[in-house]
Amino acid sequence: MQHSTTLAKTTCIAALVIGILSAAFAFTTKTPAYSITTGAVATVIGFVSLYVGRKNIDDMQLAAAGIFMAVVACLVGLWQIYS
């Protein structure tokens, strides 16, 4: 196992925070398009950070959690559109 670099740790934590914020925004906004857009942007950021932190499992877990929360934001937006 390789040690985490500062860049990898920072990007993966940022992906987690951005994913959480996008999910929180999706639940509070009244415009579903904004939920889907922020979720999609957070998903892209999550995948980039997943690539940056690919050598350390702890960093990958943080990025995966951010991606999960971003997908939740997208699903909330889609649910708001179709319900």
Side-chain angles (χ1 to χ4, degrees):
M1 180 171 75
Q2 293 194 352
H3 294 289
S4 177
T5 63
T6 304
L7 174 67
K9 184 67 76 178
T10 304
T11 56
C12 292
I13 289 174
L16 177 61
V17 170
I18 292 169
I20 291 171
L21 290 176
S22 70
F25 179 72
F27 281 107
T28 58
T29 187
K30 301 295 182 200
T31 309
Y34 293 156
S35 301
I36 295 170
T37 304
T38 57
V41 169
T43 302
V44 169
I45 292 171
F47 278 115
V48 168
S49 68
L50 190 66
Y51 178 76
V52 170
R54 70 189 180 277
K55 295 186 180 185
N56 190 331
I57 192 70
D58 294 331
D59 293 341
M60 288 179 69
Q61 288 175 345
L62 290 171
I67 292 169
F68 175 77
M69 295 305 289
V71 169
V72 167
C74 289
L75 292 175
V76 167
L78 290 172
W79 178 70
Q80 288 174 348
I81 288 174
Y82 293 112
S83 68

